[in-house]
Amino acid sequence: MTPSEVCFTSDRANLSQIAEFVAEQARLAGLDEQRVFEIQMATDEACTNSIEHAYDGEPAGEIRVCCYIEDTDFVVRVTDFGREFNPDLVPQPDVTAPLEERSIGGLGLFFMRKLVDDIQFSFDPIQGNQVILRKRRACP
C-alpha cells in the first residue's frame, strides 16, 4: 500500500469525507471493522482539534490526511498549518469525578489515546502541526 494523502479545508463539513477516506484506506490495509471505527474516531478528533484550535473554526485553513502502512501498523498522519499545539499543556481529565463536577469538553485527547495504539504530536514552523496515529493491523 503506497501512502495516500488528501487535502481538505478546515471546514467541519469535510469531517465526513475525511472519515470515509480513512475508513477506505484502513480497510485496504486489512483492519477489521472495529479497528476501522477506532482509527476513524481518533482521526475525527484530531481533525476537529485542528479546526477548532489551530484555525479557531475558520474554514479556510488546510488539513492534510495521509494514510500508510509502516511495519505492522496502519498510520494516519494529520497535518495542519495553524496555531502550534502542545498536548502537554492540556490537563488530564478526571474521568472518575461525578458528571456534574466535570468540565465540558477536554476529553478529546483522552479518547484519542484510548482509541489508538500510539499517538505522536509534533510542530515545525514549515512542516506544521502533525498528529500521527498508529493502529495495529492485527490482534497481538
Side-chain angles (χ1 to χ4, degrees), residues 7-126:
C7 294
F8 295 92
T9 59
S10 57
D11 189 327
R12 287 177 184 84
N14 291 327
L15 290 172
S16 62
Q17 288 178 282
I18 293 169
E20 289 174 23
F21 169 73
V22 169
E24 177 183 325
Q25 295 300 308
R27 288 184 187 108
L28 288 172
L31 273 69
D32 61 37
E33 287 305 309
Q34 180 63 37
R35 290 171 190 276
V36 169
F37 175 76
E38 291 167 351
I39 195 72
Q40 266 186 306
M41 294 303 295
T43 303
D44 184 82
E45 186 59 39
C47 291
T48 299
N49 285 345
S50 289
I51 292 166
E52 292 181 3
H53 303 293
Y55 294 120
D56 291 322
E58 292 297 319
E62 178 182 350
I63 297 175
R64 296 180 187 168
V65 180
C66 182
C67 299
Y68 56 96
I69 293 172
E70 187 172 273
D71 299 322
T72 60
D73 296 338
F74 174 69
V75 182
V76 178
R77 182 180 66 229
V78 176
T79 305
D80 71 59
F81 300 92
R83 188 172 50 245
E84 181 178 349
F85 173 70
N86 183 346
D88 296 333
L89 299 179
V90 177
Q92 290 289 332
D94 181 2
V95 295
T96 62
L99 287 176
E100 60 274 5
E101 294 177 16
R102 295 185 198 179
S103 301
I104 294 176
L107 292 174
L109 287 175
F110 172 79
F111 286 130
M112 288 170 64
R113 289 182 172 119
K114 294 288 183 190
L115 290 166
V116 297
D117 297 307
D118 186 55
I119 186 169
Q120 298 168 320
F121 299 89
S122 65
F123 176 77
D124 180 272
I126 296 171

